[in-house]
Amino acid sequence: MEESRKKNENQALDTTDQFEGSRPILRQKKAALINDLSGLGRCSLSVQLPVLSVMQIECLLLPTCVLSNHTGYPSFYLRDLTEDLDPMMAEWKKQNVEVDAIVTGFLSSEKQIHHVLHFLDLFQKPQTLVVVDPVMGDHGKAYPTITPALQKAMRTLTDRADVLLPNLTEACLLTDTEWKEQFSRIEIEAMAVRLTEMGARKVVISGIEEGDKICDCTLEKGRQVHWIESQKSAQMRSGTGDLFCAVLTGALLHDQSLEQAARMAGDFVRKALDVTEKLNVPDEEGTAFEMVLCDLCPQCEAK
Ligand code: PXL
C-alpha cells in the first residue's frame, strides 16, 4: 500500500529534460479543462477541478459558459462565453502555456466546437492526452441546449480524441443510432468500433445499465473490447459523467491503463452515488462527491 502510494505520488510529476546537478528537475502535470461553470448542481468544472487537484494535477480552466445552475433544473440562466474563448487562449499562448492533457466537456453551441478545434491547434502536441467528453444528453434524451448543428459538429471532435467518453445516449447521438431502452452488448460494441472508425483512438462508453449491473465498455482502436462490470447501486445523476471523466483523466496522467482508469473512475462514481443516497440529496443537486474525495488523494491517510 505504502509502495503504491509513493508510486502514485511520483506519477503526478514528470521529469523535464533539465537537471539540477545530476538530478532531473521534476514538473507537476497540467490539464486544461474546457467546460462550463455551473453555479448549482455539482457538474462540469465545479467537480472536475477538485477531483484533478486532489489527484495532484494542476488545472487550467477555460470556461465555455457560466450558468446559474445546470440545465437539468426546470430553468437556468446561461451567459455564453463563445466570444471570449479566442482572446483567452491567445493570452495563454502569450504565456507559453503547455499542458499534458486537454479535456473538453459541455459546449453551448456549434460555434464553440470550432474554438475548441482552434485550441487544439494551438496547444495539442504529439504527447498531449486529448480527452473528449461529448456532453449532449442522458437517458435517451438530448439536453435542451443541443441543436442538430451542435450534434453534427461534435463528430468533428471525435476525430481529435485520444479518449472519447460518451454515455450510451451520446454514443447513439454520435453514431446516428436510434435510442432504445435495451441494447445488446454486440450492438454497443459495434457503436464503440464505429466511434474508433470516426477517429477516436480509445473509447469508453460508460454507465450502461444491465439488470442489476452497471457496465463500461472500453475499446482501444484495433484491440479487443473489454467490459467492466459492477453491481448497480444508486441511480446516475447530474455530474456523474463529469466525475467519471476527471478521475479517468487523472488516472491516465498517473500512467494507468485505460481499463484501470475506467475501473477507478467507475468505482469512485459509485462510491459518490452511495453516499449521496445516504444523505438524501435531491437529484438535481448532483453527488456528494466531496464526502469521498480523499479516496483519490495519493497521500491521504484517511483511506
Ligand atoms: O453533467 C453534464 C452537464 C454539464 N453542464 C451542463 C449541464 C449538464 C447536464 O445537465 O446542464 C450545463
Side-chain angles (χ1 to χ4, degrees):
M1 182 60 153
E2 202 45 52
E3 222 5 74
S4 73
R5 261 186 218 158
K6 273 194 200 133
K7 230 173 136 197
N8 277 342
E9 203 181 322
N10 292 340
Q11 280 156 351
L13 301 171
D14 209 1
T15 48
T16 62
D17 47 12
Q18 290 162 346
F19 285 81
E20 207 172 61
S22 60
R23 270 208 327 240
I25 294 176
L26 293 175
R27 186 184 61 79
Q28 194 181 358
K29 289 187 183 168
K30 290 184 191 181
L33 309 183
I34 308 177
N35 212 333
D36 74 87
L37 182 60
S38 284
L40 292 181
R42 287 184 282 205
C43 66
S44 324
L45 290 178
S46 74
V47 305
Q48 293 191 325
L49 174 62
V51 162
L52 281 158
S53 299
V54 87
M55 294 177 87
Q56 304 185 336
I57 307 297
E58 178 188 346
C59 293
L60 285 64
L61 308 182
L62 190 65
T64 55
C65 47
V66 179
L67 292 95
S68 53
N69 46 265
H70 64 66
T71 63
Y73 284 81
S75 71
F76 56 90
Y77 172 77
L78 186 153
R79 161 79 68 178
D80 190 79
L81 297 178
T82 305
E83 299 310 319
D84 303 290
L85 295 177
D86 275 355
M88 289 207 268
M89 57 182 102
E91 293 298 325
W92 286 19
K93 201 64 202 170
K94 271 197 233 162
Q95 299 300 327
N96 297 318
V97 160
E98 290 187 14
V99 290
D100 300 281
I102 299 169
V103 184
T104 77
F106 182 89
L107 301 170
S108 64
S109 66
E110 171 213 358
K111 219 169 152 196
Q112 290 204 334
I113 304 225
H114 300 294
H115 291 280
V116 173
L117 292 171
H118 180 49
F119 185 93
L120 292 175
D121 291 339
L122 289 177
F123 297 102
Q124 183 183 9
K125 295 202 168 148
Q127 68 275 19
T128 315
L129 173 72
V130 177
V131 181
V132 174
D133 182 356
V135 177
M136 287 194 289
D138 233 332
H139 305 300
K141 276 212 189 105
Y143 297 134
T145 49
I146 304 303
T147 59
L150 173 54
Q151 188 183 325
K152 196 157 163 241
M154 195 61 95
R155 291 181 197 154
T156 60
L157 263 187
T158 64
D159 185 40
R160 302 289 289 266
D162 290 308
V163 186
L164 182 73
L165 296 178
N167 59 28
L168 203 45
T169 304
E170 291 154 351
C172 286
L173 291 170
L174 288 170
T175 58
D176 254 336
T177 306
E178 201 174 325
W179 173 259
K180 53 184 182 177
E181 282 308 319
Q182 274 303 319
F183 285 93
S184 69
R185 284 197 174 194
I186 290 171
E187 289 170 318
I188 293 169
E189 291 176 9
M191 274 194 261
V193 170
R194 177 84 196 93
L195 291 167
T196 61
E197 287 166 356
M198 287 164 67
R201 257 70 68 210
K202 298 174 186 176
V203 176
V204 181
I205 304 181
S206 64
I208 302 160
E209 301 196 16
E210 256 185 14
D212 62 351
K213 296 214 171 65
I214 188 102
C215 309
D216 304 313
C217 170
T218 72
L219 174 65
E220 296 191 35
K221 197 171 190 157
R223 302 240 186 120
Q224 275 202 331
V225 170
H226 285 270
W227 284 85
I228 301 171
E229 283 181 13
S230 18
Q231 210 57 33
K232 187 159 92 184
S233 48
Q235 213 42 295
M236 290 292 170
R237 44 170 74 211
S238 138
T240 48
D242 305 313
L243 283 175
F244 187 91
C245 173
V247 178
L248 183 132
T249 302
L252 291 176
L253 288 174
H254 280 267
D255 298 331
Q256 304 279 308
S257 71
L258 184 68
E259 277 98 72
Q260 284 170 325
R263 179 162 292 282
M264 184 174 173
D267 286 349
F268 180 75
V269 169
R270 272 180 293 283
K271 228 171 152 186
L273 282 168
D274 286 343
V275 67
T276 305
E277 196 156 87
K278 284 199 189 97
L279 295 175
N280 289 315
V281 176
D283 262 5
E284 65 271 20
E285 287 178 25
T287 59
F289 72 97
E290 301 88 348
M291 306 302 289
V292 290
L293 193 57
C294 72
D295 274 25
L296 298 172
C297 175
Q299 290 171 314
C300 186
E301 294 301 324
K303 274 190 216 176

